[in-house]
């Protein structure tokens, strides 16, 4: 029997995306025989509302010295994290003496750099040592370890308790969330604030953006599930702030129980989630049917383009694209190669589907007829940048929120 990672109630997968490799496991041809696969199957817990993966590969298989994702590759995301840091300053740190900020999964320092620039005490916790090195090189205090309650105790012993604990696109990656929540409770001052954001379940279900489901995203959160999961560790959800990033995210604000007032946004968001059917099996049966329809329509479109010998490439070798290519059965005969600006991915093959990843310069040098927009969550930034591609007749193939050529 499988049990919920949060409350231990029995859970069952409501669908399977099949055999899936490590989403950021870009590889060379000689590594193909040893490529690792697991079954990507999501479930939701009727007792506490947590949407989760039944199976997640060991963290060391996903987050290591060759971790392929650097946060600062997007200009829009850089601006987003500057605004996030400003909000923390305004809402939490402004009137405090010598405040201390901790960020979990601080990546290359995209957010902490703003606290450093203000001369504030800060600490990043980033297990992927390659991205942590980038942060350290620019003077951002960073330790390369996995966060848990033991590390929380060590941080408190060395630096004292934190005024703010932050994270972005990290919390939903941590299978042992109870230990992390317990660690945060110990790390936070009695009047401290925890603020984190992650892809939002309501958006994922509404847009059929099933590509948010991959090995690293062991949870897809909602206001209901966050409130229940952290409530078990004395942390209360006091506000929710919807974000447009990553195709629809939610920023959750939590604090030690009864230390702060609770915004009416919290009850309103939970009511919306019930209205959307996120608390019952029918909601997920519909999501499953929508995923299957999306896959059928995408493959019909790609097969049609292949039949007329159109030149199709992928745009953005995202982690999300690993779910799409492997679930749908996309091969290099459909998508010849994928353009990506991240050097560590270039020259490698995409996980599972083995589609070559090439530098962005190749895209500009020889525009394809169609670009499958794997990085659809950055569409605004990309479309702005690729006006010349569109002007020469290049077309985009979208699959979120529906399959269409634009
Ligand atoms: O949670 C996570 C999110 C925040 O980031 C992680 N688990 C891993 C990662 O997920 P992702 O790989 O799906 O994220 P992105 O931001 O959608 O990836 C964009 C990819 O596209 C990067 O490899 C960079 C590339 N890119 C590009 O080639 N040209 C991006 C932009 C904006 C561009 O113009």
């Amino acid at each position: 029997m499988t049990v919920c990672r949060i409350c231990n109630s029995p859970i069952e997968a409501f669908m399977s995306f099949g055999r899936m490799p490590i989403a950021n496991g870009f590889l060379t041809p000689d590594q193909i025989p040893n490529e690792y696969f697991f079954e990507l199957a999501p479930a939701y817990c009727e007792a506490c509302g947590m949407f989760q993966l039944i199976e997640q590969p060991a963290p060391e298989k996903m987050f290591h010295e060759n971790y392929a994702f650097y946060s600062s590759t997007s200009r829009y995301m850089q601006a987003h994290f500057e605004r996030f840091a400003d909000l923390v300053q305004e809402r939490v740190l402004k009137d405090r003496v010598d405040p201390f900020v901790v960020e979990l999964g601080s990546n290359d320092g995209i957010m902490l750099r703003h606290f450093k620039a203000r001369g504030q005490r800060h600490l990043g916790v980033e297990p992927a040592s390659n991205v942590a090195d980038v942060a350290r090189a620019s003077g951002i205090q960073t330790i390369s370890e996995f966060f848990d309650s033991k590390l929380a105790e060590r941080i408190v012993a060395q630096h004292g308790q934190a005024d703010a604990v932050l994270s972005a696109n990290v919390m939903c990656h941590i299978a042992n969330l109870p230990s992390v929540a317990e660690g945060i409770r110990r790390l936070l001052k009695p009047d401290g604030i925890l603020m984190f954001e992650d892809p939002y379940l309501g958006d994922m279900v509404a847009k059929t953006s099933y590509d948010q489901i991959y090995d690293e995203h062991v949870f897809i959160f909602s206001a209901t599930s966050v409130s229940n999961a952290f409530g078990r560790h004395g942390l209360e959800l006091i506000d929710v702030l919807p974000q447009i990033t990553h195709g629809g995210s939610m920023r959750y604000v939590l604090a030690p129980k009864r230390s702060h007032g609770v915004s009416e946004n919290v009850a309103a968001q939970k009511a919306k989630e019930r209205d959307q059917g996120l608390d019952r099996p029918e909601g997920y049966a519909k999501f499953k049917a929508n995923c299957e329809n999306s896959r059928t329509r995408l493959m019909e479109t790609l097969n049609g383009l292949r039949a007329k010998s159109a030149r199709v490439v992928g745009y953005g070798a995202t982690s999300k694209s690993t779910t799409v290519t492997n679930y749908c059965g996309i091969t290099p005969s459909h998508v010849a190669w994928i353009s990506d600006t991240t050097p560590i991915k270039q020259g490698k093959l995409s996980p599972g589907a083995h589609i070559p990843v090439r530098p962005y310069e190749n895209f500009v040098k020889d525009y394809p007829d169609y670009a499958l927009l794997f990085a659809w969550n950055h569409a605004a930034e990309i479309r702005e940048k690729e006006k010349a591609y569109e002007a020469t007749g290049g077309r985009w193939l979208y699959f979120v929120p529906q399959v269409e050529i634009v």
Side-chain angles (χ1 to χ4, degrees), residues 24 67 69 73-74 169 173 214 216-217 246 315-320 339-342 345 375 377-378 381-382 385:
N24 267 307
Y67 186 57
F69 183 75
T73 48
S74 158
N169 304 306
H173 296 63
Y214 54 91
E216 295 179 18
H217 288 179
H246 289 296
Y315 197 108
T318 60
S319 323
K320 297 181 291 293
S339 164
D340 199 285
T341 51
T342 317
K345 298 181 185 178
N377 46 312
H378 299 294
E381 178 172 356
I382 291 169
K385 194 165 81 180

Side-chain angles (χ1 to χ4, degrees), residues 23-343:
N24 267 307
F26 296 89
L27 70 175
T28 48
D30 59 302
Q31 292 172 319
I32 291 176
N34 293 325
E35 193 170 15
Y36 175 85
F37 288 89
F38 72 105
E39 191 190 357
L40 184 67
Y44 87 100
C45 174
E46 284 192 55
C48 73
M50 187 60 82
F51 186 103
Q52 57 198 281
L53 296 187
I54 295 282
E55 189 187 337
Q56 191 194 33
E60 295 75 14
K61 285 200 183 322
M62 300 180 287
F63 311 110
H64 41 65
E65 71 285 2
N66 291 319
Y67 186 57
F69 183 75
Y70 289 77
S71 292
S72 298
T73 48
S74 158
R75 272 194 308 110
Y76 274 36
M77 291 310 290
Q78 290 181 27
H80 172 77
F81 286 117
E82 184 169 2
R83 287 194 297 273
F84 191 158
D86 287 347
L87 177 83
V88 175
Q89 175 65 20
E90 196 46 40
R91 199 163 157 166
V92 189
L93 307 180
K94 193 171 66 182
D95 298 321
R96 299 187 181 220
V97 180
D98 192 23
F100 177 43
V101 180
V102 177
E103 184 182 352
L104 309 184
S106 46
N107 201 280
D108 55 13
I110 190 168
M111 177 143 67
L112 279 184
R113 70 174 70 138
H114 302 290
F115 300 100
K116 178 190 169 266
R118 291 191 193 102
Q120 288 165 331
R121 289 194 299 132
H122 61 272
L123 182 67
V125 181
E126 176 49 69
S129 58
N130 58 334
V131 289
D133 284 345
V134 174
R136 276 191 286 264
S138 57
I140 296 161
Q141 300 283 327
T142 309
I143 48 173
S144 286
E145 287 186 50
F146 287 101
F147 182 83
D148 58 15
S149 46
K150 281 202 192 105
L151 180 58
E153 298 290 3
R154 268 168 43 217
I155 296 173
V156 173
Q158 269 180 33
H159 304 269
Q161 284 183 303
D163 295 86
V165 175
L166 312 176
S167 88
N169 304 306
V170 167
M171 209 67 90
C172 72
H173 296 63
I174 307 173
N176 194 0
L177 195 65
S179 168
V180 168
E182 190 52 32
I184 294 171
R185 191 190 59 75
R186 291 181 198 191
L187 180 56
L188 267 188
K189 284 183 179 166
D191 62 348
I193 290 283
L194 161 65
M195 249 193 240
F196 69 90
E197 62 186 36
D198 281 292
Y200 178 57
L201 181 65
D203 283 300
M204 184 187 84
V205 169
K207 296 175 187 166
T208 318
S209 48
Y210 64 85
D211 57 344
Q212 292 291 3
I213 303 171
Y214 54 91
D215 54 359
E216 295 179 18
H217 288 179
V218 64
F219 299 114
I220 307 285
F221 294 133
S222 63
T224 307
S225 61
V226 163
S227 172
N228 288 334
F230 287 83
R232 300 165 72 88
H233 300 275
L235 294 167
E236 185 172 34
L237 182 62
I238 60 168
D239 207 355
V240 284
L241 308 166
Q243 308 292 313
I244 56 164
T245 46
H246 289 296
S249 298
M250 187 64 77
R251 186 174 295 162
Y252 304 94
V253 187
L254 297 102
K257 259 183 198 149
R258 287 178 289 280
S259 65
H260 290 72
V262 178
S263 159
E264 58 196 23
N265 295 342
V266 173
Q269 198 66 38
K270 288 182 181 174
K272 266 194 211 164
E273 292 170 358
R274 285 192 296 276
D275 291 348
Q276 208 187 335
L278 300 183
D279 60 342
R280 47 191 186 275
E282 306 86 77
Y284 296 99
K286 189 162 165 233
F287 175 67
K288 174 177 187 265
N290 289 343
C291 293
E292 289 163 359
N293 288 338
S294 171
R295 170 173 65 177
T296 304
R297 298 219 36 227
L298 181 57
M299 290 318 290
E300 279 169 4
T301 307
L302 286 172
N303 286 330
L305 293 175
R306 184 173 62 179
K308 59 179 195 180
S309 304
R311 288 184 320 132
V312 183
V313 307
Y315 197 108
T318 60
S319 323
K320 297 181 291 293
S321 67
T322 295
T323 298
V324 182
T325 53
N326 288 279
Y327 172 60
C328 297
I330 299 173
T331 68
S333 76
H334 298 104
V335 171
W337 51 274
I338 305 173
S339 164
D340 199 285
T341 51
T342 317

